[in-house]
């Protein structure tokens, strides 16, 4: 079966690929990679029409309304191995300095440790609460997508101000950790992680606004009133 691959933006034909009649979208992505090696499967977004929903990998090509898909490049994706290397590398970097015999501790002693720890725990509880709210947003077995709003859990109030409060809380957690340890490596880790999460949040915020015309205009991506 031949599938035409068209640009989602311009509808220009990019390639024609062949897959089995009972093939899946995952196989279409693999075929596209063979024709256009730069675009590996995780980098591809395929839709049945320009403004349609993204097709999941396990969907059969036989369900397509027409033998064509609209392609969008998602940009370079961070693989799990790269992610693990980053986190383990940073953990080792921070641990070396915090556990070094010459580590001097914090300037304000136990009080600084307790304040940093309290900030870390508060933000971790917020992060967990947001993930639970996002999980409950879509009923089990449903494909319905909804705009996230604050729930009865007070930690979810950040949905009023930002699209990705889970990232806001996670950044806050590592700020707390940096205060608790008074470690430059921890601060560097916080900065790098915060930058990457901000990039992800901006992308998700943009997608929310495209998908939902009624999306709250006052919301920012990750930092209330700023970004």
């Amino acid at each position: 079966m031949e599938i035409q691959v068209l640009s989602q933006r311009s509808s220009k034909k990019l390639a024609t690929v062949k897959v089995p009649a009972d093939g899946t979208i995952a196989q279409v992505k693999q075929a596209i990679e063979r024709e256009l090696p730069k675009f590996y499967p995780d980098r591809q977004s395929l839709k049945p029409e320009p403004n349609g929903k993204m097709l999941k990998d396990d969907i059969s090509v036989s369900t397509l309304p027409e033998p064509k898909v609209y392609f969008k490049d998602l940009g370079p994706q961070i693989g799990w191995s790269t992610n693990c290397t980053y986190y383990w590398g940073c953990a080792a970097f921070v641990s070396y300095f915090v556990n070094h015999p010459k580590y001097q501790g914090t300037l304000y002693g136990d009080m600084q440790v307790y304040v940093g720890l309290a900030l870390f725990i508060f933000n971790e509880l917020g992060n967990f609460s947001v993930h639970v709210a996002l999980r409950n947003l879509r009923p089990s077995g449903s494909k319905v997508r909804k705009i996230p709003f604050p729930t009865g859990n007070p930690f979810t109030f950040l949905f009023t101000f930002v699209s990705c409060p889970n990232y806001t809380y996670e950044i806050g957690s590592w700020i707390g950790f940096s205060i608790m340890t008074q470690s430059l490596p921890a601060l560097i880790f916080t900065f790098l992680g915060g930058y990457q999460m901000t990039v992800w949040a901006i992308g998700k915020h943009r997608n929310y606004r495209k998908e939902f015309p009624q999306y709250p205009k006052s919301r920012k991506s990750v930092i209330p009133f700023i970004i």
Side-chain angles (χ1 to χ4, degrees):
M1 180 179 180
E2 289 191 345
I3 304 287
Q4 290 187 50
V5 183
L6 309 177
S7 168
Q8 182 180 326
R9 178 174 296 181
S10 65
S11 296
K12 178 183 176 181
K13 182 178 177 181
L14 302 176
T16 298
V17 299
K18 291 184 178 182
V19 295
D22 60 348
T24 63
I25 293 299
Q27 290 174 292
V28 174
K29 289 183 177 181
Q30 292 168 359
I32 292 174
E33 183 183 18
R34 288 193 291 270
E35 294 292 324
L36 306 168
K38 175 182 176 181
F39 303 113
Y40 47 88
D42 287 342
R43 189 168 176 167
Q44 301 176 33
S45 166
L46 301 180
K47 298 181 178 181
E49 53 189 34
N51 296 320
K53 291 186 177 180
M54 189 167 66
L55 296 165
K56 293 187 176 181
D57 288 350
D58 58 354
I59 291 178
S60 173
V61 294
S62 62
T63 63
L64 293 173
E66 296 181 74
K68 62 183 179 182
V69 292
Y70 288 86
F71 170 92
K72 179 182 178 181
D73 175 24
L74 297 176
Q77 303 295 298
I78 298 177
W80 69 268
S81 58
T82 302
N83 215 12
C84 286
T85 300
Y86 163 73
Y87 277 107
W88 280 104
C90 285
F93 181 48
V94 173
S95 297
Y96 174 79
F97 284 92
V98 171
N99 293 285
H100 196 278
K102 293 185 178 180
Y103 174 64
Q104 298 297 313
T106 58
L107 182 63
Y108 297 101
D110 290 347
M111 180 58 67
Q112 182 174 335
V113 173
Y114 294 146
V115 169
L117 179 61
L119 185 61
F120 180 86
I121 293 173
F122 175 86
N123 281 281
E124 283 299 293
L125 288 172
N127 195 2
F128 175 77
S129 299
V130 169
H131 280 289
V132 171
L134 291 172
R135 183 199 65 185
N136 295 338
L137 194 63
R138 180 183 296 180
S140 179
S142 170
K143 295 182 179 180
V144 176
R145 289 175 56 81
K146 300 177 182 178
I147 299 174
F149 284 102
T151 67
N153 185 329
F155 282 105
T156 64
F157 80 100
L158 270 181
F159 274 122
T160 304
F161 305 104
V162 296
S163 295
C164 301
N166 51 316
Y167 292 148
T168 310
Y169 280 123
E170 187 162 352
I171 292 170
S173 293
W174 291 112
I175 290 174
F177 182 80
S178 298
I179 293 172
M180 181 170 56
T181 60
Q182 194 173 305
S183 165
L184 179 60
L187 195 61
I188 292 172
F189 172 76
T190 299
F191 175 79
L192 293 175
Y195 172 79
Q196 183 59 65
M197 284 184 276
T198 299
V199 171
W200 288 336
I202 290 172
K204 290 186 177 184
H205 179 71
R206 186 185 302 116
N207 291 337
Y208 273 136
R209 296 185 66 180
K210 285 182 179 179
E211 184 174 359
F212 301 107
Q214 71 278 29
Y215 195 74
K217 295 182 179 180
S218 60
R219 284 189 191 178
K220 295 296 184 179
S221 301
V222 63
I223 302 177
F225 312 112
I226 301 174
I227 300 175

